[in-house]
Amino acid sequence: MRKIDVRQARARAPWLLLAVASLTLAGCGGGSMFGAGSTIGNATSAGGDRFGQLFGSNSQQPGEAPPPAQEGDLTCPSVSIRPGASTYAVAAPGKQAVANDLRYQATITRTARDCNLNAGQITVRIGIQGRVIVGPSGAPDVVDVPLRVAVVQEGVSPKTIATKVFQTRVQIGGETSVPFSLVGEDLVYPAPSAAVGDSYVFYIGFDPQALKPEPRAKGRR
């Protein structure tokens, strides 16, 4: 009888579940979906325990309703995953991130937020947990995961109030599925008036464009 390679079987299992999703996400390497004028922010890698210590039970899974606000607490916008930016799929060079050409894929599994009002400014900490799954084409030992947070005032014409990129480095090693967790800090925006405060939302998602170097300024001849 032919012996089964356990390592190969383990490597195939995770990406089979993601192959269909990758077909619709192959174009995720396009332009930013969060608006211009962004900056690179501070991100602290955080294990599950630190994530829990920082935010307690004030966290949610994608699509889950945010925890109820306590009486007297500062209103902190809910967190939503930006449509089209919920998954980060990376392909082999010159290929599309589908089927056997998928190197790895990252997803968001849980989020949390914490707001602090001081002198008319709101300072936010955003917690993000996720997972990187290795595809059949194989991932490098270390991968950089770019995540963007945007404060958006929803309405007929949505307005981006503030936006910032946070990056985290994930050690893959020989694993096929690796969790990651980070806390993005120092996102600051002006406190909204009571009339529009309920229309504010924190949008988060992957932003591959954030990993590309800034274009060099053209010098004079």
Coordinates of all heavy atoms in Angstrom, one line a residue, residues 107-166:
T107 N -6.7 36.2 7.0 CA -8.1 36.6 7.3 C -8.2 37.2 8.7 O -7.3 37.0 9.6 CB -9.1 35.4 7.3 OG1 -8.6 34.4 8.2 CG2 -9.1 34.8 5.9
I108 N -9.2 37.9 9.0 CA -9.5 38.6 10.3 C -10.5 37.7 11.0 O -11.6 37.4 10.4 CB -10.0 40.0 10.1 CG1 -8.9 40.9 9.4 CG2 -10.3 40.6 11.4 CD1 -9.4 42.2 8.9
T109 N -10.2 37.4 12.2 CA -11.1 36.6 13.0 C -11.8 37.3 14.2 O -12.9 36.9 14.6 CB -10.4 35.3 13.6 OG1 -9.3 35.8 14.4 CG2 -9.8 34.5 12.4
R110 N -11.2 38.3 14.7 CA -11.8 39.0 15.8 C -11.2 40.5 15.9 O -10.1 40.7 15.6 CB -11.5 38.3 17.1 CG -12.2 38.9 18.4 CD -12.1 38.0 19.6 NE -13.0 36.9 19.5 CZ -14.3 36.9 19.8 NH1 -14.8 38.0 20.3 NH2 -15.0 35.9 19.6
T111 N -12.1 41.4 16.4 CA -11.6 42.8 16.5 C -12.1 43.3 17.9 O -13.0 42.8 18.5 CB -12.2 43.7 15.4 OG1 -13.6 43.7 15.5 CG2 -11.8 43.2 14.0
A112 N -11.4 44.4 18.3 CA -11.8 45.1 19.5 C -11.4 46.6 19.3 O -10.5 46.9 18.5 CB -11.2 44.5 20.7
R113 N -12.0 47.4 20.1 CA -11.6 48.9 20.1 C -11.8 49.5 21.4 O -12.6 49.0 22.3 CB -12.4 49.6 19.0 CG -13.8 50.1 19.4 CD -14.9 49.1 19.3 NE -16.2 49.7 19.3 CZ -17.1 49.3 20.2 NH1 -16.9 48.3 21.0 NH2 -18.3 49.8 20.1
D114 N -11.0 50.6 21.6 CA -11.0 51.3 22.9 C -10.8 52.8 22.6 O -9.9 53.1 21.8 CB -9.9 50.8 23.8 CG -9.8 51.5 25.1 OD1 -10.7 51.4 25.9 OD2 -8.8 52.2 25.3
C115 N -11.7 53.6 23.1 CA -11.6 55.1 22.8 C -11.4 55.9 24.0 O -11.9 55.6 25.1 CB -12.9 55.5 22.1 SG -13.4 54.6 20.6
N116 N -10.6 57.0 23.8 CA -10.4 57.9 25.0 C -10.5 59.3 24.5 O -9.9 59.7 23.5 CB -8.9 57.7 25.5 CG -8.6 58.6 26.7 OD1 -9.4 58.7 27.6 ND2 -7.5 59.3 26.6
L117 N -11.4 60.1 25.2 CA -11.6 61.5 24.8 C -10.8 62.4 25.6 O -10.8 62.3 26.9 CB -13.1 61.8 25.0 CG -13.5 63.3 24.8 CD1 -13.3 63.7 23.3 CD2 -15.0 63.4 25.1
N118 N -10.1 63.3 25.0 CA -9.2 64.3 25.7 C -9.1 65.5 24.9 O -8.6 65.5 23.7 CB -7.8 63.7 26.0 CG -7.0 64.6 26.8 OD1 -7.5 65.4 27.6 ND2 -5.7 64.4 26.7
A119 N -9.5 66.7 25.4 CA -9.4 68.0 24.8 C -10.0 68.0 23.4 O -9.4 68.5 22.5 CB -7.9 68.4 24.8
G120 N -11.1 67.4 23.2 CA -11.8 67.4 21.9 C -11.3 66.4 20.9 O -11.7 66.5 19.8
Q121 N -10.3 65.6 21.3 CA -9.8 64.6 20.4 C -10.0 63.2 20.9 O -10.0 63.0 22.1 CB -8.3 64.8 20.2 CG -7.9 66.2 19.6 CD -8.1 66.2 18.1 OE1 -7.8 65.3 17.4 NE2 -8.8 67.3 17.7
I122 N -10.3 62.3 20.0 CA -10.5 60.9 20.4 C -9.3 60.1 20.0 O -9.0 60.1 18.8 CB -11.8 60.3 19.8 CG1 -13.1 61.0 20.4 CG2 -11.9 58.8 20.0 CD1 -14.4 60.5 19.8
T123 N -8.7 59.4 20.9 CA -7.6 58.5 20.6 C -8.1 57.1 20.7 O -8.7 56.7 21.7 CB -6.4 58.8 21.6 OG1 -6.0 60.1 21.6 CG2 -5.2 57.9 21.3
V124 N -7.7 56.3 19.7 CA -8.3 55.0 19.5 C -7.2 53.9 19.5 O -6.1 54.1 19.0 CB -9.1 54.9 18.2 CG1 -9.8 53.5 18.1 CG2 -10.1 56.0 18.1
R125 N -7.5 52.8 20.2 CA -6.7 51.6 20.0 C -7.6 50.5 19.4 O -8.7 50.3 19.8 CB -6.2 51.1 21.4 CG -5.2 51.9 22.1 CD -4.7 51.3 23.3 NE -5.8 51.0 24.3 CZ -5.6 50.2 25.3 NH1 -4.4 49.7 25.6 NH2 -6.6 50.0 26.2
I126 N -7.1 50.0 18.3 CA -7.8 48.9 17.6 C -7.1 47.6 17.7 O -5.9 47.5 17.4 CB -8.0 49.3 16.1 CG1 -8.8 50.5 15.9 CG2 -8.6 48.1 15.3 CD1 -10.3 50.3 16.1
G127 N -7.8 46.6 18.2 CA -7.2 45.3 18.3 C -7.7 44.4 17.2 O -8.9 44.4 16.8
I128 N -6.8 43.7 16.6 CA -7.1 42.8 15.4 C -6.5 41.5 15.6 O -5.3 41.4 15.8 CB -6.7 43.4 14.1 CG1 -7.3 44.8 13.9 CG2 -7.0 42.5 12.9 CD1 -6.7 45.6 12.7
Q129 N -7.3 40.4 15.6 CA -6.8 39.1 15.6 C -7.1 38.4 14.2 O -8.1 38.7 13.6 CB -7.4 38.2 16.7 CG -6.9 38.6 18.1 CD -7.4 37.7 19.2 OE1 -8.6 37.2 19.0 NE2 -6.7 37.5 20.2
G130 N -6.2 37.6 13.8 CA -6.4 36.9 12.5 C -5.6 35.6 12.4 O -5.0 35.1 13.3
R131 N -5.6 35.1 11.1 CA -4.8 33.9 10.9 C -4.3 33.9 9.5 O -4.9 34.4 8.5 CB -5.8 32.7 11.1 CG -5.1 31.3 10.9 CD -6.1 30.2 11.4 NE -6.3 30.3 12.8 CZ -5.4 29.7 13.7 NH1 -4.4 29.0 13.3 NH2 -5.7 29.8 15.0
V132 N -3.0 33.4 9.4 CA -2.4 33.2 8.0 C -2.4 31.7 7.7 O -1.9 30.9 8.5 CB -1.0 33.8 8.0 CG1 -0.3 33.5 6.7 CG2 -1.0 35.3 8.3
I133 N -2.9 31.3 6.6 CA -3.0 29.9 6.2 C -2.1 29.8 4.9 O -2.2 30.5 4.0 CB -4.4 29.5 5.9 CG1 -5.3 29.5 7.1 CG2 -4.4 28.1 5.3 CD1 -6.7 29.2 6.9
V134 N -1.2 28.8 5.0 CA -0.2 28.6 3.9 C -0.9 27.8 2.8 O -1.7 26.9 3.0 CB 1.0 27.8 4.4 CG1 1.9 27.5 3.3 CG2 1.7 28.6 5.5
G135 N -0.7 28.3 1.5 CA -1.3 27.7 0.4 C -0.4 26.6 -0.2 O 0.7 26.4 0.3
P136 N -0.8 26.0 -1.3 CA 0.0 24.9 -1.9 C 1.3 25.4 -2.5 O 2.2 24.6 -2.7 CB -1.0 24.4 -3.0 CG -1.9 25.5 -3.3 CD -2.1 26.2 -2.0
S137 N 1.4 26.7 -2.9 CA 2.7 27.2 -3.5 C 3.7 27.4 -2.4 O 4.9 27.6 -2.7 CB 2.4 28.4 -4.3 OG 3.5 28.8 -5.0
G138 N 3.3 27.4 -1.1 CA 4.3 27.6 0.0 C 4.6 29.0 0.3 O 4.8 29.9 -0.6
A139 N 4.6 29.4 1.6 CA 4.8 30.7 2.1 C 6.3 30.8 2.6 O 6.9 29.8 2.9 CB 3.9 31.1 3.2
P140 N 6.8 32.1 2.6 CA 8.1 32.3 3.2 C 8.1 32.1 4.7 O 7.0 32.0 5.3 CB 8.5 33.7 2.8 CG 7.2 34.4 2.6 CD 6.3 33.3 2.0
D141 N 9.3 32.1 5.3 CA 9.3 31.9 6.8 C 8.6 33.0 7.5 O 8.1 32.9 8.6 CB 10.7 31.7 7.2 CG 11.3 30.4 6.8 OD1 10.6 29.4 6.5 OD2 12.6 30.3 6.7
V142 N 8.7 34.2 6.9 CA 8.1 35.4 7.6 C 7.3 36.2 6.5 O 7.7 36.4 5.4 CB 9.3 36.3 8.1 CG1 8.7 37.6 8.7 CG2 10.1 35.6 9.1
V143 N 6.1 36.6 6.9 CA 5.3 37.4 6.0 C 4.8 38.7 6.7 O 4.6 38.7 7.9 CB 4.0 36.6 5.6 CG1 4.4 35.4 4.8 CG2 3.1 36.3 6.7
D144 N 4.7 39.8 6.0 CA 4.2 41.0 6.5 C 2.8 41.2 6.1 O 2.4 41.0 5.0 CB 5.0 42.2 5.9 CG 6.5 42.3 6.4 OD1 6.7 42.0 7.6 OD2 7.4 42.5 5.6
V145 N 2.0 41.5 7.1 CA 0.5 41.6 6.9 C 0.2 43.1 7.1 O 0.3 43.7 8.2 CB -0.2 40.8 8.0 CG1 -1.7 41.0 7.8 CG2 0.1 39.3 7.8
P146 N -0.3 43.8 6.1 CA -0.7 45.2 6.1 C -2.2 45.3 6.4 O -3.1 44.8 5.7 CB -0.4 45.7 4.7 CG -0.7 44.5 3.8 CD -0.4 43.3 4.7
L147 N -2.5 46.1 7.5 CA -3.9 46.3 7.8 C -4.2 47.8 8.0 O -3.4 48.6 8.5 CB -4.2 45.7 9.2 CG -4.2 44.1 9.2 CD1 -3.8 43.6 10.5 CD2 -5.6 43.6 8.8
R148 N -5.3 48.2 7.4 CA -5.7 49.7 7.5 C -6.9 49.8 8.3 O -7.9 49.1 8.2 CB -5.9 50.2 6.1 CG -6.2 51.7 6.1 CD -6.4 52.2 4.7 NE -5.2 52.2 3.8 CZ -4.3 53.1 3.8 NH1 -4.4 54.2 4.6 NH2 -3.3 53.0 3.0
V149 N -6.9 50.9 9.1 CA -8.1 51.3 9.9 C -8.5 52.7 9.4 O -7.7 53.6 9.2 CB -7.8 51.4 11.4 CG1 -9.0 51.8 12.2 CG2 -7.3 50.0 11.9
A150 N -9.8 52.8 9.1 CA -10.3 54.1 8.7 C -11.5 54.5 9.6 O -12.4 53.7 9.9 CB -10.8 54.1 7.2
V151 N -11.6 55.8 10.0 CA -12.7 56.3 10.6 C -13.6 57.0 9.6 O -13.1 57.9 8.9 CB -12.3 57.4 11.7 CG1 -13.5 57.8 12.5 CG2 -11.3 56.8 12.7
V152 N -14.8 56.5 9.4 CA -15.7 57.0 8.3 C -17.0 57.5 8.9 O -17.6 56.8 9.7 CB -15.9 55.9 7.3 CG1 -16.9 56.4 6.2 CG2 -14.6 55.4 6.7
Q153 N -17.4 58.7 8.4 CA -18.7 59.2 8.7 C -19.7 58.7 7.6 O -19.6 59.2 6.5 CB -18.7 60.7 8.8 CG -20.1 61.3 9.1 CD -20.1 62.8 9.2 OE1 -19.0 63.4 9.3 NE2 -21.3 63.4 9.1
E154 N -20.6 57.8 7.9 CA -21.4 57.2 6.9 C -22.5 58.2 6.6 O -22.9 59.2 7.3 CB -22.1 55.9 7.4 CG -21.1 54.8 7.5 CD -20.8 54.2 6.2 OE1 -20.8 54.9 5.1 OE2 -20.5 53.0 6.1
G155 N -23.1 58.1 5.4 CA -24.2 58.9 4.9 C -24.4 58.8 3.4 O -23.8 57.9 2.8
V156 N -25.1 59.7 2.8 CA -25.3 59.7 1.4 C -23.9 59.8 0.7 O -23.7 59.1 -0.3 CB -26.2 60.9 1.0 CG1 -26.3 60.9 -0.6 CG2 -27.6 60.8 1.6
S157 N -23.0 60.6 1.2 CA -21.7 60.7 0.7 C -20.7 60.4 1.8 O -20.3 61.3 2.6 CB -21.4 62.1 0.1 OG -22.3 62.4 -1.0
P158 N -20.3 59.2 2.0 CA -19.4 58.8 3.2 C -18.2 59.7 3.1 O -17.6 59.9 2.1 CB -19.1 57.3 2.9 CG -20.3 56.8 2.1 CD -20.7 58.0 1.2
K159 N -17.7 60.0 4.3 CA -16.6 60.9 4.5 C -15.5 60.2 5.4 O -15.8 59.8 6.5 CB -17.0 62.2 5.1 CG -15.8 63.2 5.3 CD -16.3 64.5 6.0 CE -15.2 65.5 6.3 NZ -15.7 66.7 6.9
T160 N -14.3 60.1 4.8 CA -13.2 59.5 5.6 C -12.6 60.6 6.6 O -12.1 61.6 6.1 CB -12.1 59.0 4.7 OG1 -12.6 57.9 3.9 CG2 -11.0 58.4 5.6
I161 N -12.7 60.4 7.9 CA -12.3 61.3 8.8 C -10.8 61.2 9.1 O -10.0 62.1 9.3 CB -13.1 61.2 10.2 CG1 -14.6 61.3 9.9 CG2 -12.6 62.2 11.2 CD1 -15.0 62.6 9.3
A162 N -10.3 59.9 9.3 CA -8.9 59.6 9.5 C -8.7 58.2 9.1 O -9.6 57.3 9.0 CB -8.6 59.7 11.0
T163 N -7.4 57.9 8.7 CA -7.0 56.6 8.3 C -5.6 56.3 8.6 O -4.8 57.3 8.5 CB -7.3 56.4 6.8 OG1 -6.9 55.1 6.3 CG2 -6.6 57.4 5.9
K164 N -5.3 55.1 8.9 CA -3.9 54.8 9.3 C -3.6 53.3 9.0 O -4.5 52.5 9.1 CB -3.6 55.1 10.8 CG -2.2 54.8 11.2 CD -2.0 55.4 12.6 CE -1.8 56.9 12.6 NZ -1.3 57.4 14.0
V165 N -2.4 53.0 8.6 CA -1.9 51.7 8.3 C -1.2 51.1 9.4 O -0.3 51.8 10.1 CB -1.0 51.6 7.0 CG1 -0.4 50.3 6.8 CG2 -1.8 52.0 5.8
F166 N -1.4 49.9 9.8 CA -0.7 49.1 10.8 C -0.1 47.8 10.1 O -0.9 47.2 9.4 CB -1.6 48.8 12.0 CG -2.2 50.0 12.6 CD1 -3.5 50.4 12.4 CD2 -1.4 50.7 13.5 CE1 -4.0 51.5 13.0 CE2 -2.0 51.8 14.2 CZ -3.3 52.2 13.9

